[in-house]
Amino acid sequence: MSCQSCSSQSTNNNETPIPNGCKSNGNCGSGSSCNKLHVFDWLSNMLLPSAQEEFDIVEVRFKNTRKEFYKNVNKLPLQIGDAIAVEAYKGHDIGVVSLTGELVKIQMRHKKTVDTDIKKIYRKAKQSDINLWQEAQKLEYDAMFKARTKAIELGLKMKISDTEYQADKTKITIYYTAEGRVDFRVLIKVLSDTLKIRIEMKQVGMRQEAGKLGGIGSCGRELCCSTWLTDFRAVNISAARYQQLSLNPTKLAGQCGKLKCCLNFELDSYLDALKEFPDVHNTKLLTKKGAAFHQKTDIFKKIIWWSYTDEPEVFLPLTIDRTNIILKLNSQNQKPEALLDIDSQLTKPNTPKPISFANVVGQDALTRFDNKKKRYKPKYNANNAKPQANK
């Protein structure tokens, strides 16, 4: 089912329309792209060979971006979107099936998951399990507020971003970010006495925190880390230099305070294009007219802009070939007359030729389709020697 069909409203007999899709409170069980970090199973319509059994490990999605693998020991008929009860610390937890079948093998290989560390699936979630799960979810906001208050009172240099209850309400996981090491033993003791539950502290990075909380980026779209991005690669400031971007920290940083992940999206294309360019960093071109320094580079048009030292406001475009010729002459202690060689075509940028417009319809008037009254022209008849009307 597509996301559009999932987001449409369904009506029953004399009932209020229920919006499906995101925030549908469980009414949408299609497992479509409305779900966060959804994986499209492109092998779902293919049948397995007759002697091969279906892979018994499934991928289960929990709150925010947490996903884990569980073994279907009871051979339950599971589909994407089913709520299931899985093994957890001294109890069970509730999750939603996000992927089944042969694609789970690829996901496990990508995440380097070992089969011996995989827990098992108990059963499909009953209504009593879901009710207890929903009760636990209602306690998460109040627990996060209390944890933040206690951390401030204890003077801990940490930021508590989110909390997650186990479905059976026997454990709570508190996610936090910190610049350095934090001694939260006193905090755990205080919260255990307040919440009457086992506490587990889990430190996450700034990017992982932004993926959990979500938000709108400077591009106007939802954050990539909270919708589809799962591989948080390191982002270096050199990625902005290669793409000729302004080194402005306020524009290059995302909501997490780190460099934007989208700086890496087009970096490979820029690196491939820069292989044809000579190294002009801190390099001057020497001519008889004067020395010239590098101003900027148009990577995809393959143009390098230079300026004479005595005329810095005048930008002169050179192609890669012309720049290499001048560099080669300078290495031989020779100087050309000027940067631009009028007689050579190498200094002219590769500008596309204007395409001539071809009118395939013809230069007809706008009234060419109007019905015109046909006139009968007289036709000369040689026998009667008199003109007759054309019938």
Side-chain angles (χ1 to χ4, degrees), residues 102-358:
E102 297 299 315
L103 285 183
V104 182
K105 294 181 180 179
I106 302 177
Q107 291 288 76
M108 293 178 62
R109 193 181 306 116
H110 175 68
K111 296 182 179 180
K112 299 179 181 180
T113 305
V114 184
D115 296 349
T116 57
D117 301 335
I118 296 178
K119 298 179 182 179
K120 61 183 179 179
I121 299 174
Y122 288 143
R123 60 186 180 276
K124 286 189 176 182
K126 303 178 182 178
Q127 187 60 41
S128 58
D129 298 330
I130 296 177
N131 294 338
L132 187 62
W133 181 32
Q134 292 177 348
E135 292 177 3
Q137 289 178 339
K138 295 178 181 179
L139 301 175
E140 291 177 351
Y141 182 80
D142 184 54
M144 181 178 63
F145 178 77
K146 292 180 180 179
R148 287 180 176 177
T149 304
K150 296 297 182 182
I152 294 174
E153 293 177 355
L154 296 174
L156 299 178
K157 295 181 180 180
M158 59 187 300
K159 178 184 176 182
I160 297 176
S161 58
D162 199 7
T163 55
E164 182 181 2
Y165 262 88
Q166 194 168 291
D168 55 0
K169 296 195 295 185
T170 58
K171 188 188 74 170
I172 182 174
T173 304
I174 300 177
Y175 298 95
Y176 73 96
T177 57
E179 295 294 338
R181 184 179 178 87
V182 181
D183 187 5
F184 44 75
R185 288 177 294 181
V186 180
L187 177 63
I188 292 178
K189 183 178 180 181
V190 174
L191 290 178
S192 299
D193 297 337
T194 304
L195 301 176
K196 307 298 181 182
I197 195 174
R198 181 179 179 270
I199 308 293
E200 180 181 353
M201 304 293 295
K202 189 172 183 180
Q203 185 176 3
V204 295
M206 300 295 182
R207 290 187 171 90
Q208 285 78 5
E209 179 191 18
K212 290 178 178 294
L213 300 181
I216 303 297
S218 58
C219 58
R221 304 185 64 178
E222 196 172 353
L223 297 180
C224 298
C225 55
S226 63
T227 51
W228 62 271
L229 186 63
T230 57
D231 186 12
F232 295 97
R233 294 190 299 169
V235 185
N236 201 317
I237 192 64
S238 60
R241 292 193 179 98
Y242 285 128
Q243 300 177 53
Q244 309 292 323
L245 299 176
S246 176
L247 301 181
N248 190 347
T250 58
K251 293 183 178 180
L252 297 180
Q255 292 191 2
C256 58
K258 304 293 183 179
L259 292 176
K260 294 180 180 179
C261 296
C262 56
L263 292 176
N264 284 338
F265 293 170
E266 299 179 354
L267 180 59
D268 294 338
S269 300
Y270 279 88
L271 292 177
D272 291 340
L274 285 171
K275 292 179 180 179
E276 303 179 13
F277 285 79
D279 186 10
V280 296
H281 184 65
N282 295 329
T283 303
K284 289 187 177 182
L285 299 183
L286 303 179
T287 63
K288 294 181 180 180
K289 188 177 179 180
F293 62 94
H294 174 249
Q295 287 278 21
K296 66 176 184 178
T297 302
D298 196 331
I299 298 176
F300 293 107
K301 288 185 178 180
K302 299 182 179 180
I303 299 175
I304 307 175
W305 298 81
W306 300 84
S307 295
Y308 289 108
T309 54
D310 54 349
E311 296 178 352
E313 69 279 356
V314 180
F315 284 48
L316 301 176
L318 295 183
T319 60
I320 299 176
D321 296 334
R322 178 60 180 174
T323 305
N324 289 329
I325 290 175
I326 299 177
L327 290 174
K328 185 177 180 180
L329 291 175
N330 293 159
S331 64
Q332 299 174 359
N333 296 326
Q334 299 180 13
K335 297 180 181 180
E337 292 293 335
L339 289 178
L340 298 178
D341 188 1
I342 300 177
D343 298 332
S344 176
Q345 298 295 328
L346 296 176
T347 59
K348 297 181 180 180
N350 297 327
T351 56
K353 296 181 179 180
I355 302 174
S356 59
F357 176 74

